[in-house]
Structures are given as structure tokens and as C-alpha cells.
Amino acid sequence: MGKKGKREKKGKGAEKTAAKMGRKVSRRARKEEEDLEALIAEFQSLDAKKTQVIETSCPPPSPRLNGSLSAHPEKDELILFGGEYFNGQKTYLYNELYVYNIRKNSWTKVEVPNPPPRRCAHQAAVVPTGGGQLWVFGGEFASPNGEQFYHYKDLWVLHLATKTWEQIKASGGPSGRSGHRMVACKRQLIVFGGFHESARDYIYYNDVYAFNLDSFTWSKLAPSGIGPAPRSGCQMATTPEGSIIIYGGYSKQRIKKDVDKGTLHTDMFLLKTEGSGKEEDKWAWSRLNPSGVKPTPRSGFSVAISPNNRSLLFGGVHDEEEEESIEGDFFNDIYFYDMGKNRWFPGQLKGPKSEKRKRRCGRQAEAEGAGDEMEKQPPQGPVEIVKEVVAEDGTVMTIKQVISGPPEERERSESEEEEEEDGALGQRVEPCPRSNAMLAVKHGVLYVYGGMFEVGDRQFTLSDLYSIDLHKMEEWKVLVEMDPKAQEWLEESESDEEDDMEGAEGGEEEEESSEEESEDEEGEEQHPSVQPDEKQADYLSRTEQYWIKLARSNMGLDAKEKKVVKVAHAMAKTFYEDSV
């Protein structure tokens, strides 16, 4: 009995300790939230000083991602609101309002009194009521160091005719969240999913809420059937019949302490209502099994409604987890989902028809003129081309390329010939691969603004603007250009060492030497018998610098090319080890 009593006492003691720790963590989380609320209130007090609407012509907005881009229901305008930007050290949140005039290709900054607090990863939906309304729900605010988050549960409406913001205070709505999705469906706003994250915990949602645009009331839906698992960042679209389609998304779960496992969802669901879209209508989930070519698994994609009863998906990223890092493959492709046929298919550029006709005529003339000469030429064998590339740091890289002789004559398909023509005429204009871009469709034209991509540990945030006619699918047009390589990036250690650095070059050399010393120390611990010499460390450092520069100068690399760069880097190390 004595031993049993001790075990019970010990068990109760552990429970008390756990409960005490739980209360402590909860208090700390509340304190962090209060700190962020105070910071948000400070920003709002600055915004409260604005007393009148001020419209100013301006250059394109600064780089950002996770904002919202919406088409004006009555004018040829796009409305950009919110978003975020990270420069390597600090996170910036926005609540600015910009209007893009499609016909004039010009931007206007619109300062409206009492706007919503700064945020990103919110959702916006436009309805045509009263000259147009832009509804905004949720989103998040992050501390400057990006380690603390505040999730909004507020609902706002921008009256486009009068340019006034109004906060709608209605109880019974969704909890604070970001990464959710919201669409206008008949006379309701439907909100699905999202997540809430604190410094120590997170939760993903799969609940559904409806906001009635006539009564200004929230209601939580309880659909029958088996619905999607909790997720954020999915595709959400409404059908002409008033049903809702959910595809994909991302979620993660904790499998053990400090270890999370992410999931890229590729399933698809239909949320259907029996009725005219009223609060008392019954909703039901059902699983969809579409035909065609589905998008490859990804997160961070952007969505929009396109003509001909289709929804579209653009870009995104697929993260590949390696030993100690995560490498992302970014996309710039388009996939269409035909809601009537329940079918996916990739969007393929056709190219301008006039140029195709000219190229075909020229190709036929060249073939007729060169036919006799080709008969006289003997078959060619493999040709070796040797190039020397000198990096900025003086490293000379010799590249050998063996080009095989022409294969036996065969009839080539039209698509293969067009691919060769595109290569001969120069690289096709298109947005670089990216995730978390902002999309809008107006008059059948898709507009893509901003977003981000990564090269190594560096993040590039974009502010370019592209468009493509979805009816023709011939070519992308560049409306606003941007050179990502010119963007400022501050390394994490830069601010700490800035005061001690006499110059950029000296600081870089000290940083490199310290990295080499740490690498040498690690090598000594793992392999005591191997003593890396200075020549080897210098060579590997130079090689790494070269490949980093190569990767940054080729930021449009696809997945296969990225792997080629990795293999080449590994081969360079192996080459040196073999040579010594």
C-alpha cells in the first residue's frame, strides 16, 4: 500500500506541475497578445489623425505578399489592400489602399480615414451593392521580429462609391485566424478554414461560417457528410448554382515535442446547399473526384475565378525537406478547373498566331533553299565545346559540353518546332516562379501582382505586375517590371556586427574566416584524424560563393535546374578531394 500511495502521490505531483506550466504558458501567451494589441492600438491612433480622403498619383506599391487584389465591380480598376514585407531582419505590415487603373496603367494611393489595422493573410471579397463594396475579414499582425502573431476576427467593409471604411460589429463570427478563405455566395459571405498560431502552439480549422449581407448577422454552418480536414491556404470558389468548391491547402501537426509534420492536401470537396441561400438552408459536404490533369502538390498558390465557368490556380511552392534545411521548388504555372465538367487541365500558352504563320512560312522557304546543301554535307560526329567562366572572386571554372551529332532524319511534331522557335527568339516573357502572389480577373484578363520566392536562405519579395488574356492564352504582358536582385536584404547578424565593422570588405573577410574556423572545428570533432588544410577550406569557400552567385543570377531556375546546381556543387567538392 505504501508503494502504491507513493506512486499516486508522484502522479498527482506531475499533474500539478503540468497544470502549473500550462497556466504559465497561457499567461505568457496572453502577455504577448496584449503587447501586440498595444502596438496595433498605437498604429490605429496614427491612422485616426486622418480626417479626409486623399488620393495621390504614385509609383507602383512597394514589394509585398499575402495582400488582397480585387477587381472593382463597376470600374476598370483593381484594389490592393494590406500585405507584408520581410527584409531579412524586420517584418513590415501594411493597411495601405492602392487603386490600379487598367486603361491608364497607373497607380493611385487612396488614404481613407479610420482604416482597418495593418494586416496580411486576410481575405477580401467584392459585391456590387451600392456602387461596390469591398469586404475584409481576419488576417494577422506580426511583431517586427516576426516571432509573435496576433490574429484578427474583425469584419470591415469599404464603400467604394463614397470611399469610406466601416467596421461591422456582429457577434457569433469565426475566431481570430489567418490563411482562411472567404467568397461571396448569393447574399452571403462564406468563410472556411484557416489557422491560429502563437509563439508556442497552433491550430488549424475546417469550420464554416456565413455572414448574411442583408441582416448583417453571423451563423455557424453545420453541414452534413464528411468534409475537408482542417487546413489553410486552400482554393475556394463558388459555382453559378451557389455551391462551393474546396481544393488543396496546407496543414501541420505536432508528431512529438518540437517536431511538426506538414501536409500538402490535394483532395477536393463540394459544399452544396438545398435552398436559395438563406440562413436556415441545409448544407452538405461531398467528395469530388475530378478528371483531367490535377495541379502538382503545392502550398502558397493563388486563386481566382476565370471566364467560362472555371476557377484557376497560379504558382505556389513545394517544400522539399532535406537533412537540416527545407528547399522550395516554386511554380509559375496556371491550372484551370472546369466546374461544369469536374475536370482539371493545365493552362498552356499558344503564342501570337501572326508570329506563328510568319515563322512557318520562313521555315518552309529555308527548308527548300537548303535542301540540296544538306544532302552534300557529310554526317557530323560529337563536338566538344570548352568554356571558361571567371567568377567575381577570380575563380576560373572550366565547363566542357559535348554536343552529339544530328540524329537521323525524322518528322518533328508542330509543338517541338514551336518550342525550338521560342528558344531561338529569346526567352518567353512570363512571371518568375513565386508563391503568395495576389490575383484578380477583370474582363477575362488575369492580373498577377507581387508575391515571393526564395534562393537559399534569402527571400525575394516582388512588386511586379503581369497580365494575360484568359480567352486567348497567347502571351503574358509586363505592366510593371522589377529586378529582384536589386532588392535590399539584411542578414540576421548584420545589425549586431554593424558597429564593429570598419568596412564591408573587412567585415565579409572576418565573417568568412570565422565560418571556416567553425567548419574546421566541426571537422575535427567528427574526424579527428583528418586535418583540413587552408587551401582546401579556401577552395571550398570560393566554390560555394560561385554557386550561390550562379543560383542568384538564375533565379528562374526550375526544379530540375536547381538539382543540377546542387549536383554541380557536390561534384566540385569531390573533384577537389580526388585531386589531393
Side-chain angles (χ1 to χ4, degrees), residues 10 26 28 44 94 151 257 276 301 381:
K10 188 176 180 181
S26 179
R28 199 176 296 168
Q44 282 188 289
Y94 304 108
H151 296 265
K257 187 178 180 181
S276 57
F301 54 77

Coordinates of all heavy atoms in Angstrom, one line a residue, residues 10 26 28 44 94 151 257 276 301 381:
K10 N 3.1 10.7 -6.5 CA 4.0 11.2 -7.5 C 3.3 11.6 -8.8 O 3.6 12.6 -9.4 CB 5.0 10.1 -7.8 CG 6.2 10.6 -8.7 CD 7.2 9.5 -8.9 CE 8.3 10.0 -9.8 NZ 9.3 8.9 -10.0
S26 N 0.0 30.0 -20.7 CA -1.1 30.7 -21.0 C -1.0 32.2 -20.7 O -1.4 33.1 -21.5 CB -2.4 30.1 -20.3 OG -3.5 30.8 -20.7
R28 N 1.8 33.8 -20.4 CA 2.8 34.4 -21.2 C 2.2 34.7 -22.6 O 2.5 35.7 -23.2 CB 4.0 33.4 -21.4 CG 5.3 34.1 -21.9 CD 6.4 33.1 -21.9 NE 6.7 32.6 -20.5 CZ 7.5 31.6 -20.3 NH1 8.0 30.9 -21.3 NH2 7.8 31.2 -19.1
Q44 N -3.2 52.5 -34.9 CA -4.5 53.0 -35.1 C -4.7 54.4 -34.7 O -5.4 55.2 -35.3 CB -5.5 52.1 -34.4 CG -5.8 50.8 -35.1 CD -7.0 50.0 -34.5 OE1 -6.9 49.5 -33.4 NE2 -8.1 50.0 -35.2
Y94 N 1.1 46.2 -43.7 CA 0.5 47.3 -44.3 C -1.0 47.3 -44.2 O -1.6 46.3 -44.1 CB 0.9 47.3 -45.8 CG 2.3 47.3 -46.1 CD1 2.9 46.2 -46.6 CD2 3.2 48.4 -45.8 CE1 4.3 46.1 -46.9 CE2 4.5 48.4 -46.1 CZ 5.1 47.2 -46.6 OH 6.4 47.2 -46.9
H151 N -4.0 37.4 -34.4 CA -4.9 37.0 -35.4 C -6.2 37.8 -35.2 O -6.8 37.7 -34.2 CB -5.2 35.5 -35.4 CG -3.9 34.7 -35.7 ND1 -3.6 34.3 -37.0 CD2 -2.9 34.3 -34.9 CE1 -2.5 33.6 -37.0 NE2 -2.0 33.6 -35.7
K257 N 7.5 16.4 -29.4 CA 8.0 17.7 -28.9 C 8.9 18.4 -29.9 O 9.9 17.9 -30.3 CB 8.7 17.5 -27.6 CG 9.0 18.9 -26.9 CD 9.6 18.7 -25.6 CE 9.9 20.0 -24.9 NZ 10.6 19.9 -23.6
S276 N -32.3 28.6 -51.3 CA -32.0 29.8 -52.1 C -30.9 30.6 -51.4 O -30.7 31.8 -51.7 CB -33.2 30.6 -52.2 OG -33.8 30.9 -50.9
F301 N -0.3 28.7 -53.2 CA -0.8 29.1 -54.5 C -1.9 30.2 -54.4 O -2.4 30.4 -53.3 CB -1.3 27.9 -55.3 CG -2.4 27.1 -54.5 CD1 -3.7 27.5 -54.4 CD2 -2.0 25.9 -53.9 CE1 -4.6 26.8 -53.8 CE2 -3.0 25.1 -53.3 CZ -4.3 25.6 -53.2
G381 N 30.0 14.2 -86.3 CA 30.2 13.4 -85.1 C 30.0 14.3 -83.9 O 29.7 15.5 -84.1

